[in-house]
Amino acid sequence: MFIKILMLLVFFAVAIGIGVYCKKQATDVHGFVLGSRSVGPWLTAFAYGTSYFSAVIFIGYAGQFGWKYGLASTWIGLGNAFIGSLMAWAVLGRRTRIMTQHLDAATMPDFFGKRFDSKALKIAAAVIIFIFLIPYTASVYNGLSRLFGMAFNIDYSYCVIGMAVLTAIYVTLGGYMATAINDFIQGCIMLVGIAVTILAVLNINGGFLGSLEALSQVTGAEGTSESWPGVFNSFFGPDPLNLLGVVILTSLGTWGLPQMVGKFYAIKSEKDISIGTIVSTGFAIVVAGGCYFLGGFGRLFGDVIAYNETTGAPVYDSIIPSMLALLPDLLIAVVVMLVLSASMSTLSSLVLTSSSVMTLDMIHGTVVKNMDEKKKVSTMRALIVVFIVVSAAIALVQYKSSVTFIAQLMGISWGALAGAFLGPFLYSLYWKKVTKAAVWASFICGVGITTSNMLLGFAGKAFIASPINCGAFAMILSLIIVPVVSLITAKPDDSKMHEIFGCYDEKVQVSRKNALED
């Protein structure tokens, strides 16, 4: 216990110290929200990866989908690496950086407002982000607090409050740069932690081969696709179709999440994007691939996990903590640092995104007509505290409600956000003919499908049983709706589009090592 507490105190001291150090760089909007667009490739790549993978992944998704699909759940991690990281950087990175700087857009709603010359679109996007980042934030609190309860025997409420206070301190002090530096340190902890954890957990059942052999003997309920021996260490597992839905939601979803694509706004240069792509992909392979690989062995610990007293079903969020509880205390301390690092980085990204959206896209110019730079930054700092308090309160209420699985909360949040923004954002970077009506259609469909399915689910009448599959469906629909509606609605002004897309054709000089002569 002494080692655990000492490591936590060091972690907290470093996080707050970085916030104090970065305070002098966070005096204006661009410094506070974007790090003055001068963040290097390693910091940006780690900020992207640590915002992507939190306690939601490690505790919630790895436990639930490892139980459902066995080792085939590793495909989810690989999808996250190659679709959610590699392809996202390759397709969105450069164009996002160029166009957002050209439009002087600091947030995703600001981008939509200036790209389509629509204040209404800007406000609508801001409202969607603020509302649907809250359940995601609650899910981050949930996952971390369950692990702390296992490691320290601390009440859930105290865990939530402690995590909220620490995040509020270092984000309000240093803004994006403090978040990025902390993310790099936390990312290093995650890389080491996941490797050590996998080795230790597999060793419980005789190493990798011993664990694999034990898993080959495990079967699920009779009369189902899980009933034959070896299904949980097979290539695609017992339910490939639903596995594909999870891969789509957790991988393609990042392309439309404001807290993820916002990282591309701040990167420093062209060369940094190339380096960041490689670093981010490698990080995702280790962390995401490792989490889901570890979760795939969850059924070997069926005798120690918690079960629902009414239905007899496993409590998915208890699977990974139950596995880890069998480890020596020193390794538990390492795991606590791993999940704390993952969760704090994600939470800081979420609250910074939400506060900047509320300040720049809703309050400034709408509620308050004129705000100088100092007032904008002060307002963002105040809203960070407000958002943290609201999301922490919801996390505490949610803990006592019927919505107990982390994956459900994340599925609703990601489905609504990416279902609304994925198509409009992606096409707007590449295609001049995207119309304002198409963006509205995607907003309405993404939010409408996700929320209606959630509300019907409370009455047991959801048209798509899984919130995860519903979110994946909303994303795919967004990619279809935007071009279809754009082709049948009034075209945007050609001169305006020529001016916006002209940023891609501006001439720049580069060194011979980066570009050969014709």
Side-chain angles (χ1 to χ4, degrees):
M1 185 62 70
F2 173 76
I3 294 174
K4 294 175 191 174
I5 293 174
L6 180 62
M7 291 175 71
L8 284 179
L9 291 176
V10 171
F11 181 92
F12 293 161
V14 169
I16 294 172
I18 290 172
V20 173
Y21 172 76
C22 294
K23 186 178 179 181
K24 60 180 180 293
Q25 301 180 36
T27 55
D28 59 13
V29 170
H30 278 263
F32 191 81
V33 179
L34 300 176
S36 303
R37 294 189 192 267
S38 61
V39 184
W42 284 82
L43 290 183
T44 302
F46 272 65
Y48 185 92
T50 54
S51 298
Y52 196 166
F53 310 117
S54 67
V56 177
I57 300 293
F58 190 72
I59 302 297
Y61 271 28
Q64 177 169 339
F65 300 124
W67 184 273
K68 286 185 174 181
Y69 308 120
L71 284 184
S73 64
T74 307
W75 285 110
I76 305 171
L78 295 178
N80 294 172
F82 293 105
I83 301 174
S85 295
L86 177 63
M87 289 182 63
W89 277 75
V91 175
L92 301 177
R94 181 182 294 107
R95 282 184 173 255
T96 298
R97 176 64 173 80
I98 294 171
M99 186 175 281
T100 56
Q101 183 175 22
H102 178 68
L103 296 174
D104 193 27
T107 65
M108 184 177 277
D110 196 20
F111 169 80
F112 284 128
K114 291 176 177 176
R115 170 69 172 78
F116 296 97
D117 194 22
S118 172
K119 188 175 182 180
L121 270 181
K122 175 180 176 179
I123 293 174
V127 171
I128 292 170
I129 290 170
F130 184 77
I131 291 174
F132 287 98
L133 280 185
I134 289 175
Y136 187 13
T137 307
S139 68
V140 174
Y141 284 119
N142 192 334
L144 182 65
S145 298
R146 286 183 182 275
L147 186 66
F148 264 63
M150 177 274 292
F152 295 96
N153 196 27
I154 299 175
D155 183 79
Y156 178 88
S157 303
Y158 298 123
C159 296
V160 170
I161 293 169
M163 183 176 172
V165 169
L166 177 61
T167 306
I169 291 173
Y170 83 76
V171 178
T172 53
L173 285 173
Y176 181 77
M177 186 59 77
T179 300
I181 295 173
N182 270 309
D183 286 351
F184 179 77
I185 295 171
Q186 292 159 2
C188 293
I189 295 171
M190 290 168 66
L191 288 172
V192 174
I194 192 64
V196 171
T197 303
I198 290 173
L199 292 174
V201 171
L202 292 182
N203 192 54
I204 294 173
N205 289 286
F208 174 61
L209 293 180
S211 298
L212 203 61
E213 182 180 359
L215 192 62
S216 70
Q217 307 302 315
V218 176
T219 59
E222 288 294 332
T224 69
S225 59
E226 302 175 350
S227 61
W228 50 280
V231 66
F232 293 111
N233 63 358
S234 62
F235 200 66
F236 289 119
D239 192 357
L241 188 59
N242 278 316
L243 176 62
L244 179 62
V246 180
V247 172
I248 292 173
L249 176 80
T250 61
S251 301
L252 195 59
T254 60
W255 296 36
L257 295 178
Q259 73 272 19
M260 300 300 297
V261 297
K263 302 297 185 289
F264 301 135
Y265 291 31
I267 198 165
K268 187 176 181 180
S269 68
E270 166 80 14
K271 182 181 179 182
D272 290 347
I273 292 174
S274 301
I275 297 172
T277 303
I278 298 170
V279 175
S280 178
T281 304
F283 183 89
I285 290 173
V286 175
V287 174
C291 285
Y292 287 107
F293 176 76
L294 176 65
F297 293 96
R299 284 185 180 256
L300 297 182
F301 300 85
D303 57 334
V304 295
I305 69 171
Y307 292 87
N308 187 292
E309 294 180 0
T310 304
T311 64
V315 178
Y316 294 126
D317 299 346
S318 74
I319 294 174
I320 297 295
S322 297
M323 295 166 65
L324 300 176
L326 302 174
L327 300 179
D329 282 348
L330 181 58
L331 288 179
I332 290 178
V334 172
V335 173
V336 168
M337 297 302 296
L338 154 67
V339 181
L340 179 63
S341 297
S343 300
M344 294 299 297
S345 55
T346 301
L347 183 59
S348 62
S349 177
L350 294 175
V351 298
L352 185 60
T353 299
S354 182
S355 66
S356 60
V357 162
M358 287 294 291
T359 302
L360 302 178
D361 303 319
M362 291 191 67
I363 297 176
H364 174 55
T366 303
V367 179
V368 180
K369 296 299 181 183
N370 296 307
M371 295 178 71
D372 57 25
E373 291 290 298
K374 186 177 180 180
K375 191 169 184 179
K376 288 178 184 177
V377 173
S378 298
T379 304
M380 278 188 279
R381 286 186 164 125
L383 285 173
I384 285 172
V385 176
V386 171
F387 184 81
I388 286 176
V389 170
V390 171
S391 58
I394 291 175
L396 293 173
V397 172
Q398 176 271 333
Y399 183 65
K400 302 179 184 297
S401 73
S402 58
V403 184
T404 54
F405 298 148
I406 297 173
Q408 286 179 308
L409 287 175
M410 186 173 169
I412 292 166
S413 176
W414 279 40
L417 291 168
F421 300 142
L422 173 58
F425 188 77
L426 174 62
Y427 289 118
S428 294
L429 295 174
Y430 282 87
W431 193 31
K432 297 178 181 179
K433 295 182 180 180
V434 178
T435 65
K436 193 184 303 182
V439 179
W440 278 116
S442 183
F443 283 10
I444 293 168
C445 287
V447 173
I449 289 171
T450 309
T451 53
S452 61
N453 189 67
M454 176 186 67
L455 294 174
L456 289 171
F458 294 144
K461 298 180 180 180
F463 49 87
I464 300 177
S466 167
I468 304 220
N469 288 341
C470 180
F473 173 73
M475 292 176 202
I476 299 299
L477 191 61
S478 174
L479 293 173
I480 297 172
I481 283 177
V482 172
V484 169
V485 175
S486 294
L487 292 173
I488 61 176
T489 53
K491 302 295 182 289
D493 180 72
D494 285 341
S495 60
K496 179 70 174 177
M497 291 303 101
H498 180 74
E499 190 277 327
I500 290 175
F501 279 79
C503 63
Y504 295 138
D505 299 321
E506 293 178 2
K507 303 299 181 183
V508 296
Q509 289 184 329
V510 298
S511 61
R512 181 69 62 84
K513 67 181 179 182
N514 292 325
L516 299 174
E517 289 181 309
D518 292 336

